[in-house]
Amino acid sequence: RRSDVPELVEHFVNVFAAKYGRAVTTVPAAAVRSLTAHDWPGNVRELQNVVERAVIVSTGAELAFDPGWLVGGTVAETAKTWAAQERQRIVDALRAAG
């Protein structure tokens, strides 16, 4: 349920911050809104994975969350999107270099 997402996010942040020795104490409101609005086709396990990733990449007290991680709805689709973006950056760099 969407109403459970903020509480689950807080729980997962606490679990993974302790596991990885991170000092994450704050979840930006925009991140909570994005996570709550997402459909979560992978259910709670997918939410858990996204929060774990965010904790791992966080370097300060605020959770480092990229809404782009939710593009396409699934991890596999997101990976395809990243691959397409990476390809486009390479093509752009090659064009710029002549």
Side-chain angles (χ1 to χ4, degrees), residues 28-41:
V32 173
R33 283 192 302 275
S34 293
L35 293 166
T36 301
H38 189 64
D39 288 330
W40 297 111

Side-chain angles (χ1 to χ4, degrees), residues 17-34:
K19 178 178 179 178
Y20 295 109
R22 303 290 185 175
V24 179
T25 57
T26 305
V27 180
V32 173
R33 283 192 302 275
S34 293

Side-chain angles (χ1 to χ4, degrees), residues 4-68:
D4 293 336
V5 171
E7 189 174 332
L8 288 168
V9 169
E10 183 178 339
H11 169 73
F12 291 140
V13 165
N14 291 333
V15 168
F16 293 121
K19 178 178 179 178
Y20 295 109
R22 303 290 185 175
V24 179
T25 57
T26 305
V27 180
V32 173
R33 283 192 302 275
S34 293
L35 293 166
T36 301
H38 189 64
D39 288 330
W40 297 111
N43 212 330
V44 175
R45 194 173 301 262
E46 185 179 354
L47 172 63
Q48 179 180 349
N49 291 339
V50 168
V51 173
E52 181 175 18
R53 177 180 189 183
V55 169
I56 290 170
V57 302
S58 295
T59 56
E62 186 171 277
L63 185 71
F65 170 74
D66 182 352

